[in-house]
Amino acid sequence: MIGLAAVLSGVLFACGLYLLLSRNLQRMAIGFLLLSNGINLFVLTSAGLPARAAPPLLGEGEGASRGPFADPLAQAFILTAIVIGLGMAAFLLALSTRHHDASGRDDVEGDGET
């Protein structure tokens, strides 16, 4: 399972980076979303998940779990990254819409040096 998640993370990272390098603003926004999801999956994969891991909640009595616990720090990082990523995606899409309204195109012009 960890290997599949690592491969999927690499695919998302590569596709996101490829789309970020284009000149179309909508492709850049989609690339940013793919890249952020790839990074989130990478963090979750690198945190590891021990076999039969229980959520880190404390119970009372004999029903309380004592086994290995899932790492809550990686999950907190990913939750924060999801919120920030969605905010950035909304900003990029609004910027793309504004650029399209102002210029009538979706492409970003070069700086003239190439």
Side-chain angles (χ1 to χ4, degrees), residues 10-77:
V11 169
L12 285 173
F13 193 83
C15 291
L17 195 59
Y18 174 75
L19 289 174
L20 266 178
L21 294 176
S22 73
R23 291 184 180 251
N24 190 318
L25 287 174
Q26 292 175 352
R27 286 185 182 184
M28 285 182 188
I30 292 171
F32 178 78
L33 285 172
L34 288 178
L35 188 67
S36 66
N37 283 326
I39 290 171
N40 289 340
L41 189 58
F42 174 73
V43 170
L44 186 64
T45 303
S46 64
L49 187 61
R52 297 183 184 202
L57 301 175
L58 299 177
E60 294 181 16
E62 295 186 19
S65 59
R66 297 180 188 169
F69 294 108
D71 187 12
L73 186 61
Q75 296 174 6
F77 282 149

Side-chain angles (χ1 to χ4, degrees), residues 53-104:
L57 301 175
L58 299 177
E60 294 181 16
E62 295 186 19
S65 59
R66 297 180 188 169
F69 294 108
D71 187 12
L73 186 61
Q75 296 174 6
F77 282 149
I78 292 171
L79 183 62
T80 304
I82 288 171
V83 171
I84 293 171
L86 285 177
M88 284 296 297
F91 176 72
L92 286 173
L93 290 174
L95 194 63
S96 172
T97 302
R98 178 71 180 123
H99 179 72
H100 183 267
D101 290 344
S103 67

